[in-house]
Short mmCIF file of all heavy atoms in Angstrom, two decimals:
data_model
loop_
_atom_site.label_atom_id
_atom_site.label_comp_id
_atom_site.label_asym_id
_atom_site.label_seq_id
_atom_site.Cartn_x
_atom_site.Cartn_y
_atom_site.Cartn_z
N ALA A 76 -13.25 -8.78 8.51
CA ALA A 76 -14.07 -9.99 8.42
C ALA A 76 -13.22 -11.21 8.79
O ALA A 76 -12.03 -11.27 8.48
CB ALA A 76 -14.63 -10.15 7.01
N GLY A 77 -13.83 -12.16 9.46
CA GLY A 77 -13.14 -13.37 9.91
C GLY A 77 -12.42 -14.10 8.80
O GLY A 77 -11.37 -14.70 9.03
N CYS A 78 -12.95 -14.00 7.60
CA CYS A 78 -12.33 -14.68 6.47
C CYS A 78 -10.98 -14.09 6.12
O CYS A 78 -10.17 -14.72 5.47
CB CYS A 78 -13.22 -14.60 5.25
SG CYS A 78 -13.37 -12.91 4.62
N CYS A 79 -10.73 -12.88 6.56
CA CYS A 79 -9.52 -12.17 6.17
C CYS A 79 -8.50 -12.09 7.30
O CYS A 79 -7.47 -11.46 7.16
CB CYS A 79 -9.88 -10.76 5.70
SG CYS A 79 -11.04 -10.78 4.33
N ALA A 80 -8.80 -12.71 8.43
CA ALA A 80 -7.90 -12.66 9.57
C ALA A 80 -6.61 -13.42 9.29
O ALA A 80 -5.56 -13.08 9.82
CB ALA A 80 -8.58 -13.22 10.81
N GLY A 81 -6.68 -14.42 8.45
CA GLY A 81 -5.48 -15.17 8.07
C GLY A 81 -4.98 -14.68 6.73
O GLY A 81 -4.69 -13.51 6.55
N ARG A 82 -4.94 -15.55 5.75
CA ARG A 82 -4.52 -15.18 4.41
C ARG A 82 -5.64 -15.55 3.46
O ARG A 82 -6.22 -16.62 3.55
CB ARG A 82 -3.27 -15.95 4.00
CG ARG A 82 -2.16 -15.86 4.98
CD ARG A 82 -1.05 -14.96 4.83
NE ARG A 82 -0.06 -14.90 3.87
CZ ARG A 82 0.37 -13.72 3.43
NH1 ARG A 82 -0.22 -12.63 3.80
NH2 ARG A 82 1.37 -13.65 2.63
N GLY A 83 -5.99 -14.63 2.56
CA GLY A 83 -7.00 -14.91 1.56
C GLY A 83 -8.41 -14.57 2.03
O GLY A 83 -8.62 -14.14 3.15
N VAL A 84 -9.36 -14.78 1.15
CA VAL A 84 -10.76 -14.43 1.39
C VAL A 84 -11.62 -15.68 1.27
O VAL A 84 -11.44 -16.47 0.35
CB VAL A 84 -11.22 -13.36 0.38
CG1 VAL A 84 -12.68 -13.06 0.53
CG2 VAL A 84 -10.39 -12.10 0.53
N ASP A 85 -12.57 -15.85 2.18
CA ASP A 85 -13.50 -16.98 2.16
C ASP A 85 -14.90 -16.42 1.97
O ASP A 85 -15.45 -15.77 2.86
CB ASP A 85 -13.39 -17.76 3.47
CG ASP A 85 -14.28 -18.99 3.51
OD1 ASP A 85 -15.35 -19.00 2.86
OD2 ASP A 85 -13.90 -19.93 4.22
N GLU A 86 -15.50 -16.64 0.80
CA GLU A 86 -16.80 -16.07 0.47
C GLU A 86 -17.88 -16.48 1.47
O GLU A 86 -18.71 -15.67 1.86
CB GLU A 86 -17.24 -16.45 -0.94
CG GLU A 86 -18.57 -15.86 -1.32
CD GLU A 86 -19.06 -16.26 -2.71
OE1 GLU A 86 -18.31 -16.89 -3.46
OE2 GLU A 86 -20.22 -15.94 -3.00
N ALA A 87 -17.90 -17.73 1.89
CA ALA A 87 -18.93 -18.20 2.82
C ALA A 87 -18.87 -17.42 4.13
O ALA A 87 -19.91 -17.02 4.68
CB ALA A 87 -18.77 -19.69 3.07
N VAL A 88 -17.69 -17.17 4.63
CA VAL A 88 -17.54 -16.42 5.88
C VAL A 88 -18.00 -14.97 5.67
O VAL A 88 -18.64 -14.39 6.54
CB VAL A 88 -16.08 -16.46 6.38
CG1 VAL A 88 -15.89 -15.57 7.60
CG2 VAL A 88 -15.69 -17.89 6.71
N LEU A 89 -17.70 -14.41 4.52
CA LEU A 89 -18.15 -13.05 4.21
C LEU A 89 -19.67 -12.96 4.19
O LEU A 89 -20.25 -12.01 4.71
CB LEU A 89 -17.61 -12.59 2.85
CG LEU A 89 -16.15 -12.19 2.83
CD1 LEU A 89 -15.71 -11.91 1.40
CD2 LEU A 89 -15.91 -10.99 3.70
#
Side-chain angles (χ1 to χ4, degrees):
C78 67
C79 303
R82 308 260 296 141
V84 175
D85 183 330
E86 181 182 352
V88 174
L89 284 174

